[in-house]
Amino acid sequence: MLDQILSVLLLGAVVSAIYALVAIGFTMIFGVGGVLNLAHGGLIMFGAYAYMVLTSSSVVGAIAVPPAAGFVIAVVGTALASYALYAGLVRYIEDNVVITFLSTVMVALLLTNLIHYRFGANPQGTPSVLSGSLHLEGFGTRIGYMYILGFVLSWITIGLLWYYVTQTDEGRSILATSMSERGAQLTGVNLLSVKSRTWLIAGAFAGIAGVILGTVEPTTPQMWLNPLANAFIIVVIGGIGSIKGSVVAAYLIGYLQQFTTEFIGQGYVGIPSLIVLVAVLLLLPEGLYGREFAHE
Amino acid sequence: MSSETGRPSGIASRISGAAGRAGGAALDRLTTVTGPINRALQPLANVYNRLIGGYFGEMNGLQFVLVIGTLVGLLTAPFWGNYALIQAMIAASIWAILAMGWDIQSGYTGYISFGHSVLSGGAGYTTAMLIHNVNPELPMLVTIPVSVLAALGIGLLIALPSLRLSGPYFSLITFVAVLIFYRMMNPLSEYTGGETGLAGVEKIFDITEPVQSYYLFLLPMLAVAVALLIVARSNIGLILLAIRENESAVEAAGINATKFKIWSFMLSSIPMGIGGVLLAHRFGGVDPGSFIVVDNSIEMIAMAVVGGMGSILGPLGGAFFIILMEDIVLHAFGLDAQLRWAILWIIVLLILVFARQGLFRKLWYGLERLGGDRR
């Protein structure tokens, strides 16, 4: 019983940290541009596959860079992919909400099919950034270093983001745009640059989450769906556009799911979070820290 | 949605605008040829216009020929098509029902649902579960109405909480509905068959009787199309469109928009139920992979968008376009299934960006201009 609780506490913290990364990227794009980026899950998958291709020699040619370098390249690559998605597609259609999110779904499915075609449907393992695991004697539980690294990285990046959006002028213009696009424009904020930076940051977050997810779980062409669904739930519970809300809700959902897995059964994982979601929607339609979605 | 809406939005609209102008000029030149043809056909169309044009909208000669020609083509397909084509057209008929069902809810009200596969999947599963868990001898006369009712019930269950939300929030929740439904499969595998699904549903596609079987799918599709067209062209359809354009104006006019949104969701549950049941009887069973997964909902949306959202007949055409492209045209190139879908998604993406109104709406208005008498 004690080791079960400990395992929930430890694994829950790690899972939640990854969820938070995913949800923050998703909610930032929504908060700043009003764009529902359904290809966000696709970016996570992009990061995971980029890392896999870079680090395992058997996949493409004989490319095999050290895991740490592969990590960095994959994250930068995902950030650039995210920017390319904005600059190449979303920028031209973001005035129409419906067209935008349908297009981003198409991009996600296109990516799924292409990855499926190139790498097959079977789950693939990837070399870990940090192998080995920490054995907690006395509790009878062990936890991979990769999980710990994921947790630490999540908090470092969230901390950096917090510093960026609250302490620097560039970052504050992102925050301002998410509060009022027109107000920000009137004070001389360059919207295009703010949005480009948002997509780059969201892409980098997705990339980090993707590499971590890809190493702790199998990498498959369907891996974009679950993180995206969790990001939805988290963002709605936390309040759209709120970074703080995303972090709080990510931990709420992460722990709830871990608890369900451990004490109720793997098959029921999604259900309690959904009950929480419905309850939040009925009681607080704007989420914990959110504001109403408004057309300006 | 932002202050940027004042200026022409980006390259996409400029390119499509230019293409539209060039195409427009070509159309105008063509009119000299097609105008007389249209005038020759106009008397036929006029008979139709006088009889039922009031319900479905009036057409010119060319449009009339397109509609009648398509209808004749669909009805006579078994006599000229080969086996693969008939198979594809059966699949297209089912998907057309689903795409039209999605359209009357999402295309008309603008509340984009990603969760419609739950409705069709729910109906298919109800049929299979009735046969599997209740009584294998149940006749279709019982299972089909019960399954459609089940789709209605699920529709109400989704609509009531989620229609409190607007815009993207609504889409998010319907997306989540698919995931819930999908995740329920395994814990309830005793009843649902888990990942492998349930078999043993009576197949109504008989390989020895392809002609008869074809009509079992085509006729319900046509019936659904006519019924939805009547609703869409009635005042209800107008209110739904008004909700899409400006919901607060609808409310201000003293109309309860939420009530109509729930109605439209209910209304779309019925075709979804019929489509789901047909799909179950087509395959002789149900499984999560071909009934519930979110890709299914997105395929419906893709079909509706390609054809033209908010037009009923557009999604019908879109379903035939996509299925025939996938099963017949791209198949002929011997491409891998994944690659075929990738190509289809690219086509859909291009249509989304460059022809937001959909292919069939473009075709329809093109014919109207070609008629040459209504500019």
Side-chain angles (χ1 to χ4, degrees):
Chain A
M1 187 66 189
L2 187 67
D3 56 312
Q4 271 183 314
I5 292 172
L6 193 76
S7 141
V8 167
L9 283 177
L10 281 175
L11 283 177
V14 179
V15 168
S16 311
I18 299 172
Y19 285 178
L21 281 180
V22 179
I24 286 174
F26 187 68
T27 205
M28 273 182 76
I29 288 177
F30 195 95
V32 169
V35 170
L36 199 60
N37 177 22
L38 297 184
H40 197 67
L43 291 172
I44 294 169
M45 187 160 68
F46 184 94
Y49 272 89
Y51 176 74
M52 187 187 85
V53 167
L54 287 166
T55 53
S56 8
S57 54
S58 55
V59 186
V60 175
I63 309 171
V65 300
F71 192 129
V72 174
I73 302 172
V75 170
V76 172
T78 315
L80 291 178
S82 169
Y83 174 72
L85 179 63
Y86 175 67
L89 174 69
V90 175
R91 190 147 77 90
Y92 302 114
I93 52 176
E94 64 184 336
D95 55 310
N96 187 326
V97 179
V98 172
I99 299 286
T100 309
F101 64 66
L102 290 180
S103 303
T104 50
V105 171
M106 296 307 152
V107 171
L109 289 178
L110 181 61
L111 194 64
T112 311
N113 283 123
L114 289 178
I115 284 183
H116 189 162
Y117 175 69
R118 178 66 186 78
F119 300 104
N122 293 333
Q124 312 214 11
T126 48
S128 198
V129 182
L130 267 183
S131 52
S133 59
L134 182 67
H135 190 64
L136 294 169
E137 312 237 7
F139 300 109
T141 191
R142 62 172 61 239
I143 180 162
Y145 284 129
M146 197 56 219
Y147 282 91
I148 300 172
L149 180 70
F151 182 76
V152 172
L153 271 179
S154 160
W155 277 106
I156 291 176
T157 42
I158 292 172
L160 286 175
L161 179 71
W162 176 84
Y163 178 81
Y164 182 65
V165 297
T166 57
Q167 306 297 315
T168 66
D169 281 349
E170 281 201 329
R172 276 196 286 244
S173 64
I174 294 182
L175 201 59
T177 311
S178 79
M179 286 170 182
S180 163
E181 205 168 90
R182 182 161 300 172
Q185 252 182 333
L186 288 174
T187 54
V189 168
N190 179 352
L191 274 188
L192 192 63
S193 136
V194 165
K195 286 179 182 170
S196 305
R197 271 182 278 137
T198 313
W199 281 77
L200 276 171
I201 294 172
F205 273 52
I208 297 172
V211 175
I212 298 170
L213 272 178
T215 48
V216 301
E217 281 172 14
T219 312
T220 76
Q222 293 297 335
M223 67 182 288
W224 62 282
L225 207 51
N226 256 328
L228 185 66
N230 284 322
F232 281 176
I233 300 176
I234 289 163
V235 164
V236 174
I237 291 178
I240 284 189
S242 164
I243 294 175
K244 184 166 76 174
S246 297
V247 177
V248 173
Y251 277 81
L252 182 68
I253 293 302
Y255 271 112
L256 196 61
Q257 292 192 353
Q258 212 54 46
F259 180 84
T260 319
T261 317
E262 198 71 37
F263 292 102
I264 302 175
Q266 180 70 40
Y268 294 90
V269 167
I271 294 157
S273 19
L274 260 49
I275 295 169
V276 174
L277 177 70
V278 172
V280 168
L281 281 178
L282 294 178
L283 300 173
L284 295 164
E286 274 127 63
L288 296 175
Y289 298 97
R291 57 204 151 74
E292 202 169 347
F293 174 75
H295 289 270
E296 274 183 60
Chain B
M1 91 150 279
S2 71
S3 48
E4 287 177 44
T5 40
R7 64 180 176 79
S9 60
I11 289 174
S13 68
R14 257 174 275 151
I15 293 174
S16 64
R21 276 193 299 283
L27 275 185
D28 290 341
R29 275 197 296 280
L30 264 180
T31 311
T32 49
V33 185
T34 53
I37 302 177
N38 177 50
R39 275 192 293 284
L41 297 166
Q42 192 65 45
L44 278 174
N46 282 341
V47 174
Y48 155 85
N49 284 342
R50 262 199 304 283
L51 286 175
I52 48 176
Y55 299 99
F56 296 106
E58 301 202 343
M59 305 181 207
N60 68 17
L62 294 172
Q63 290 168 332
F64 186 71
V65 168
L66 174 75
V67 170
I68 296 300
T70 312
L71 198 60
V72 170
L74 285 176
L75 285 170
T76 56
F79 304 105
W80 49 265
N82 60 11
Y83 181 74
L85 184 72
I86 299 303
Q87 286 283 337
M89 283 178 79
I90 286 176
S93 296
I94 302 176
W95 281 100
I97 295 178
L98 301 178
M100 290 187 291
W102 180 85
D103 193 49
I104 191 72
Q105 198 274 316
S106 299
Y108 274 78
T109 64
Y111 277 68
I112 304 297
S113 161
F114 283 124
H116 265 50
S117 65
V118 172
L119 304 174
S120 55
Y125 262 91
T126 308
T127 295
M129 280 159 71
L130 281 174
I131 290 167
H132 192 255
N133 301 311
V134 181
N135 181 358
E137 302 295 310
L138 277 177
M140 277 190 228
L141 237 79
V142 177
T143 57
I144 292 178
V146 171
S147 304
V148 175
L149 272 179
L152 256 178
I154 298 171
L156 199 61
L157 210 62
I158 297 178
L160 284 180
S162 49
L163 283 172
R164 285 168 54 96
L165 308 164
S166 62
Y169 281 95
F170 173 80
S171 303
L172 291 183
I173 294 309
T174 51
F175 201 108
V176 171
V178 181
L179 297 164
I180 310 175
F181 199 57
Y182 189 71
R183 283 176 179 165
M184 299 277 274
M185 288 298 129
N186 278 332
L188 301 174
S189 59
E190 194 186 331
Y191 306 104
T192 61
E195 281 297 322
T196 47
L198 298 170
V201 178
E202 189 188 341
K203 278 193 188 182
I204 56 175
F205 181 74
D206 187 349
I207 296 177
T208 56
E209 288 279 357
V211 177
Q212 251 177 20
S213 312
Y214 172 72
Y215 291 111
L216 284 176
F217 295 92
L218 182 74
L219 295 178
M221 191 275 280
L222 292 176
V224 167
V226 171
L228 286 180
L229 265 180
I230 292 176
V231 176
R233 297 289 159 96
S234 70
N235 290 341
I236 299 173
L238 272 180
I239 293 174
L240 299 183
L241 279 178
I243 290 174
R244 182 179 81 189
E245 297 307 327
N246 191 339
E247 192 169 342
S248 31
V250 172
E251 291 277 0
I255 295 167
N256 185 346
T258 309
K259 201 171 82 185
F260 276 92
K261 285 186 287 181
I262 291 175
W263 270 113
S264 78
F265 213 98
M266 299 285 86
L267 195 65
S268 92
S269 303
I270 298 170
M272 296 314 287
I274 297 171
V277 169
L278 284 177
L279 211 53
H281 283 292
R282 163 89 173 79
F283 288 117
V286 292
D287 66 275
S290 45
F291 274 78
I292 311 165
V293 287
V294 93
D295 303 36
N296 276 2
S297 298
I298 296 170
E299 273 168 48
M300 290 168 210
I301 299 174
M303 288 165 185
V305 168
V306 164
M309 276 166 66
S311 64
I312 303 295
L313 288 183
L316 194 166
F320 275 82
F321 175 80
I322 289 207
I323 297 275
L324 294 183
M325 270 302 267
E326 208 266 330
D327 282 4
I328 307 288
V329 180
L330 294 176
H331 206 90
F333 291 102
L335 296 174
D336 184 271
Q338 298 304 325
L339 219 49
R340 290 207 299 268
W341 278 108
I343 293 172
L344 279 175
W345 297 130
I346 293 175
I347 294 174
V348 176
L349 195 58
L350 290 175
I351 292 174
L352 264 176
V353 176
F354 293 108
R356 292 184 183 184
Q357 300 298 314
L359 288 185
F360 288 89
R361 200 175 261 133
K362 267 209 142 82
L363 176 66
W364 191 252
Y365 291 127
L367 287 181
E368 187 164 316
R369 293 186 58 165
L370 281 175
D373 53 8
R374 226 183 278 185
R375 267 178 301 142

